[in-house]
Amino acid sequence: MIVCIAEKPSVARDIARILGANSSKDGYMEGNGYQVTWTFGHLCELKQPNDYHENWKHWSLAALPMIPERFGIKVIEDDGIRKQFKIVERLYQQADEIINCGDAGQEGELIQRWVMQKAGVKCPVKRLWISSMTDEAIKQGFADLKDQQLYQPLYLAGLSRAIGDWLLGMNATRLYTLKYGQNRQVLSIGRVQTPTLALIVNRQKEIDNFKPEPYWVLATIYRDTQFTATKGKFTSKEEGEQAFSVIDGKPFVVMDVTKKKGSEAPPHLFDLTSLQVECNRKFGYSAEMTLNLIQSLYEKKYTTYPRVDTQYLSDDIYPKCPSILNGLFQTKIDSQPVYASLIKPIGGQKLMKSKKVFDTSKVTDHHAIIPTGVVPSGLTQLEQNVFDLIAKRFISVFYPDCKFSTTTVLGKVDDIEFKATGKEILSPGWRTVYTKDVQIVEEDENKKEDEERTLPTFVKGESGTHTPTLTEKSTTPPPYYNEASLLRAMETAGKFVEDEELRAALKENGIGRPSSRAGIIETLFKRHYIRRERKRLVATPTGIELIDTIHEELLKSCELTGIWEKKLRDIEHQKYDAGQFINELKEQISAIVYNVLCDNSMRRVTVTVDEKPAKKASTTKKTEAKPRKKRASKKESTAQQASLKADDSIIGQVCPVCGKGQIIKGKAAYGCSNWKSGCTFRFPFDNK
């Protein structure tokens, strides 16, 4: 008998249907020579401290550092999980061959390997490795099964990550809680969460300590066009007024007019982080909410594997693109063929193949997130929004570049030079896809208005009267982080990078995995280290004091944590030894414990009791859907609604009226994603 094991019952049912294992048993499906079973995400975990030594059961500074001689795993202490593990273990012991059908990523590999180790598997194991859940992809994957040994480096990277997180989290959390936590609150320290918190705290301090400085800008209006002095800012009013007096009443002369043609390629396809950034910017979705939505679209077979950090497709995807576009051509939302008019101009001809889209060298296990070509149906409004972003981005990469002309006009009044710049779209190209969606076109939200305007025709040598202005302005602090900008900062180890190519190069040293960053941000909320103020992420007194208390740069430096991430990726690609990584970490933990124990200061961290974090929009990747909640009574829903805030922090919470949908943002009010089914929840922006 061949035993196949998937990560969720829903995935297992799809695989069983395709294999012909149609007979339902307790905890598995059977038929046609196959038994198809499942985990519920993790069935096993690393042992807890008290599983190793009795004196590690109690929190004590004397017991630190806790470094097991050999790490072990155990079945998670939950009745449902223990029951399912027993079923899987029995099937494994009778199996002739096992096919690992876990999610095709580092975490998915770790989940299944631990179950096999705990069950004592002896038979051969094959690996199903697919990037989408369509029937075609599953059939093709079973026709091309891999030897599990090929994925040993992936498992070692996942194991190293888990052990590293255990060593740092268990030791540093106990250390800082006992030393500085006043015995009132656990001070959670994490390999990724602490540097992420440090990003927010450091930005907030920068804002709090910022002192605005005045400056003056000299400009003039000539032929209804504003020209700005090329000298730049004047740091004193006297200097600005002197320059103003020089040009006042004298003619403006056009010295030079240049036109330069340029082109702009379509934006890259989505990886998980860029999708989360776009959903946060456009819809106000949290990173976790976007992850849950794209995971749902993947499991419904409408989009490809989501937990990816590449924005490229491998060359073998190119022949499949016409059929994917055909699926989008047939897609209807509210009975309207929403993509047909966009696909017609590129249909019936050979599709463009750009190196910025198709580059096998930049794809490892999975490619960028794209539609599968399966026509979607029954999507929620939230899922439709995410699918629409992915669909339009995919369509746009087969359009030509946007052609534009940049006009620069240089002028002069006396000895002072002025400049005006304008941009004219000559051929919209890929921007046609977004004509009804201006927000997405503006990839750079900081574009200056004068670069987007169209200038009148100027002729070199012309002159005339003008109206000079001297405007006082002041320097501004950097903006607070929101989830979109924080995700970008995590991706580039805290470096602010606008350029897309450079940002991609820095991904190697980002902190956290794309799939884990959403959970890290949510953890900071749950620990009351940060809170939301509209879209802004603000550190609480606890969060600020915790970062101030931590003197060990290793714990809070994005760059150092980024180096750890780079080593973990190198382990996965067989460029670094897993044992060396763990030994280095053990030495670092021992040094941290010693340094903190030697601290004789009386520092303490304030305890913050904050509002409850927003409820999750849907279940996370590693759990099946929970039983549907009982609909709230009118009295309960009224009370819940009264406690809501009229800001974006409520987006994604469970609807207080129907208890089924999630709160979404409309044009004038917040509403329920289940409004089409009759939910009447409405919460105006100005609600008091």
Side-chain angles (χ1 to χ4, degrees), residues 351-473:
L351 294 174
M352 292 177 59
K353 189 181 181 187
S354 167
K355 195 71 173 172
K356 288 191 174 183
V357 179
F358 297 93
D359 189 343
T360 302
S361 67
K362 294 183 178 179
V363 178
T364 51
D365 300 326
H366 299 284
H367 53 67
I369 303 170
I370 61 173
T372 60
V374 175
V375 178
S377 62
L379 298 183
T380 66
Q381 183 62 53
L382 279 72
E383 289 172 333
Q384 280 182 22
N385 289 341
V386 177
F387 182 82
D388 187 64
L389 289 181
I390 296 166
K392 285 183 176 175
R393 186 65 64 94
F394 180 71
I395 293 168
S396 73
V397 300
F398 299 108
Y399 269 70
D401 290 355
C402 170
K403 305 290 184 184
F404 61 87
S405 173
T406 302
T407 303
T408 304
V409 181
L410 298 178
K412 202 171 187 182
V413 181
D414 201 272
D415 288 331
I416 298 180
E417 295 180 345
F418 292 85
K419 178 182 176 182
T421 305
K423 189 174 181 179
E424 181 182 2
I425 302 295
L426 303 176
S427 173
W430 63 267
R431 287 184 174 237
T432 305
V433 177
Y434 299 111
T435 50
K436 295 180 181 178
D437 197 344
V438 179
Q439 277 186 298
I440 293 187
V441 175
E442 300 301 334
E443 286 294 310
D444 180 1
E445 296 177 359
N446 299 313
K447 282 184 178 177
K448 297 177 182 177
E449 289 181 10
D450 62 347
E451 292 178 345
E452 290 297 302
R453 65 186 173 180
T454 301
L455 300 178
T457 301
F458 291 98
V459 179
K460 182 179 179 181
E462 69 172 90
S463 66
T465 59
H466 62 102
T467 306
T469 60
L470 183 66
T471 307
E472 182 180 356
K473 298 186 177 183

Side-chain angles (χ1 to χ4, degrees), residues 22 26 29 52 86 97-98 133 143 157 164 186 188 223 282 289 382 392 412 436 458 483 505 586 604 636-637 639:
N22 299 319
D26 185 14
M29 308 284 287
Y52 294 103
K86 287 291 184 185
E97 181 179 272
I98 295 169
M133 287 301 300
V186 173
S188 173
R223 288 181 54 192
K282 186 169 171 57
M289 185 177 183
L382 279 72
K392 285 183 176 175
K412 202 171 187 182
K436 295 180 181 178
F458 291 98
E483 285 205 38
K586 287 177 180 178
R604 292 291 183 267
E636 288 171 335
S637 64

Side-chain angles (χ1 to χ4, degrees), residues 40-251:
F40 301 112
H42 279 281
L43 295 187
C44 299
E45 63 181 357
L46 288 174
K47 288 181 177 178
Q48 297 297 306
N50 55 285
D51 294 319
Y52 294 103
H53 297 290
E54 181 64 26
N55 66 323
W56 287 0
K57 182 182 294 186
H58 308 288
W59 287 41
S60 163
L61 289 174
L64 302 178
M66 300 178 295
I67 301 177
E69 291 182 14
R70 183 179 178 85
F71 280 87
I73 56 174
K74 66 176 185 177
V75 178
I76 294 172
E77 294 176 2
D78 175 272
D79 290 342
I81 285 176
R82 285 187 177 279
K83 177 186 175 184
Q84 185 63 16
F85 176 79
K86 287 291 184 185
I87 292 169
V88 173
E89 184 179 39
R90 176 172 56 81
L91 295 177
Y92 278 174
Q93 289 170 354
Q94 300 169 358
D96 298 312
E97 181 179 272
I98 295 169
I99 300 176
N100 177 356
C101 304
D103 277 10
Q106 196 180 100
E107 193 74 5
E109 191 70 18
L110 191 68
I111 286 170
Q112 302 301 347
R113 293 287 191 110
W114 277 356
V115 172
M116 290 180 204
Q117 285 180 26
K118 194 65 182 171
V121 166
K122 303 285 192 236
C123 65
V125 181
K126 295 287 180 65
R127 185 60 159 105
L128 175 72
W129 194 267
I130 52 178
S131 289
S132 78
M133 287 301 300
T134 63
D135 289 5
E136 180 188 3
I138 295 172
K139 289 175 184 176
Q140 188 175 338
F142 271 95
D144 188 28
L145 291 171
K146 311 292 185 183
D147 190 312
Q148 174 151 286
Q149 194 59 30
L150 292 173
Y151 299 94
Q152 183 70 7
L154 186 71
Y155 164 66
L156 290 175
L159 180 62
S160 300
R161 184 183 297 277
I163 290 175
D165 287 340
W166 192 101
L167 282 170
L168 184 65
M170 291 292 183
N171 283 286
T173 296
R174 290 191 180 195
L175 179 67
Y176 275 82
T177 298
L178 293 169
K179 186 75 174 175
Y180 307 113
Q182 305 181 56
N183 295 319
R184 292 176 59 196
Q185 180 177 3
V186 173
L187 298 179
S188 173
I189 307 289
R191 187 177 55 85
V192 179
Q193 77 168 13
T194 305
T196 303
L197 175 61
L199 277 174
I200 298 170
V201 169
N202 293 338
R203 173 64 61 86
Q204 195 161 316
K205 285 184 176 181
E206 200 177 342
I207 294 168
D208 292 343
N209 297 328
F210 183 82
K211 294 180 180 178
E213 296 181 359
Y215 66 92
W216 288 261
V217 175
L218 181 64
T220 191
I221 305 294
Y222 172 67
R223 288 181 54 192
D224 296 325
T225 302
Q226 179 170 299
F227 288 77
T228 306
T230 57
K231 183 183 185 303
K233 305 170 184 176
F234 294 97
T235 54
S236 71
K237 187 177 182 180
E238 293 73 23
E239 189 182 5
E241 288 177 338
Q242 182 181 354
F244 183 92
S245 65
V246 169
I247 67 171
D248 191 24
K250 296 177 182 176

